[in-house]
Amino acid sequence: MGVFEYSSIVLGSPFDYRKQALLYHPEGLPSVKSEEYTQALMQAMLPVLARSGGRAFLLFTSYRAMNEAAQFLKAQTKDYALFVQGQAPKAQLLEEFRVARRAVLLATASFWEGVDVRGQALVCVMIDKLPFSAPSDPVAKMRHELLQQKGLSPFMHDSLPQAVIALKQGVGRLIRGEQDYGVLVIGDPRLRQMGYGKIFLESLPAMTRTTKLAVIERFFAFHEKA
């Protein structure tokens, strides 16, 4: 920025993530490259949504997956008010989500950041896949070519750091106030299967992690009594 004389301060988060948030990672999901992945993830989400009473953001890395998930939920259940990105302007979708009962919003792209829904209208955020940029993205391809010319790994020096930032932005939709609480669901099996999954996990706020639905039940029971 061209600033050489300045004062700086680093402030910790005002949120108690260990108490306010729970990270759930469904077991037994197929590879993210499988044609059955999105349907399997949505099947795993049904008991989570039943316990949260909707009140959820389902965030996707592609419009194809978002639309497939929307069709699945429409066919499987009538218990929720479904809002899908593209059906109405962003501000309208968010306002309708806030006031609806048992609302579920399916979105991608811009809904991963700059969206603020506080209180009990939102108690669950699901992220379908680790948000790596598409290999065909022309800007990413150019960055990767420049890194290769310098003898650097495009994955370690660009794809991974960019995906970590994007994931943190998506996760940040869940806890927006000191009284908020909620369950974060990350479906991507690579989070635990691949070595770089540890980098993603360490980038997130410290919160309890589980693969058990019973823990989600206890989590909501605790906060609903509070």
Side-chain angles (χ1 to χ4, degrees):
M1 294 178 65
V3 178
F4 298 98
E5 295 184 9
Y6 60 90
S7 297
S8 64
I9 184 172
V10 178
L11 301 175
S13 171
F15 307 142
D16 183 351
Y17 281 96
R18 288 198 180 279
K19 182 177 180 180
Q20 292 178 255
L22 174 69
L23 171 57
Y24 173 60
H25 191 68
E27 292 186 300
L29 294 180
S31 165
V32 294
K33 296 180 181 180
S34 168
E35 293 184 358
E36 287 75 40
Y37 175 75
T38 298
Q39 181 170 324
L41 176 58
M42 289 301 100
Q43 189 69 49
M45 279 300 299
L46 289 177
V48 181
L49 293 175
R51 189 57 190 85
S52 68
R55 300 185 292 169
F57 276 4
L58 309 185
L59 301 179
F60 298 87
T61 54
S62 72
Y63 286 93
R64 181 200 59 78
M66 179 189 73
N67 291 324
E68 182 181 345
Q71 291 302 315
F72 177 86
L73 291 177
K74 289 176 183 177
Q76 290 292 319
T77 177
K78 306 298 182 185
D79 293 339
Y80 310 108
L82 295 182
F83 300 94
V84 182
Q85 183 178 354
Q87 292 181 342
K90 181 177 180 179
Q92 180 181 335
L93 283 176
L94 287 172
E95 182 58 30
E96 292 179 354
F97 175 88
R98 289 187 180 99
V99 301
R101 297 185 60 186
R102 301 178 66 83
V104 176
L105 187 148
L106 295 87
T108 183
S110 61
F111 281 82
W112 282 63
E113 56 184 286
V115 174
D116 194 351
V117 177
R118 301 191 180 205
Q120 296 195 23
L122 178 64
V123 296
C124 179
V125 169
M126 184 214 78
I127 293 174
D128 73 329
K129 298 178 184 178
L130 299 176
F132 290 108
S133 60
S136 59
D137 178 72
V139 177
K141 289 177 67 174
M142 180 59 68
R143 289 201 304 265
H144 291 181
E145 289 176 6
L146 292 173
L147 286 168
Q148 287 175 329
Q149 291 172 11
K150 296 179 180 180
L152 300 174
S153 165
F155 180 78
M156 293 303 299
H157 289 85
D158 185 73
S159 297
L160 183 58
Q162 293 291 335
V164 166
I165 292 172
L167 181 67
K168 291 171 67 175
Q169 289 173 332
V171 169
R173 299 316 97 213
L174 182 62
I175 304 298
R176 307 300 298 169
E178 294 181 34
Q179 303 304 314
D180 289 357
Y181 64 88
V183 170
L184 169 67
V185 182
I186 302 180
D188 198 322
R190 294 174 295 181
L191 192 66
R192 297 200 304 164
Q193 294 174 353
M194 304 300 290
Y196 57 73
K198 184 178 180 181
I199 297 176
F200 283 100
L201 289 171
E202 291 178 346
S203 76
L204 300 179
M207 63 183 80
T208 301
R209 304 169 189 168
T210 186
T211 59
K212 307 300 181 184
L213 287 168
V215 178
I216 293 178
E217 175 70 31
R218 292 196 296 269
F219 176 85
F220 279 122
F222 171 81
H223 283 282
E224 288 166 359
K225 290 180 182 178

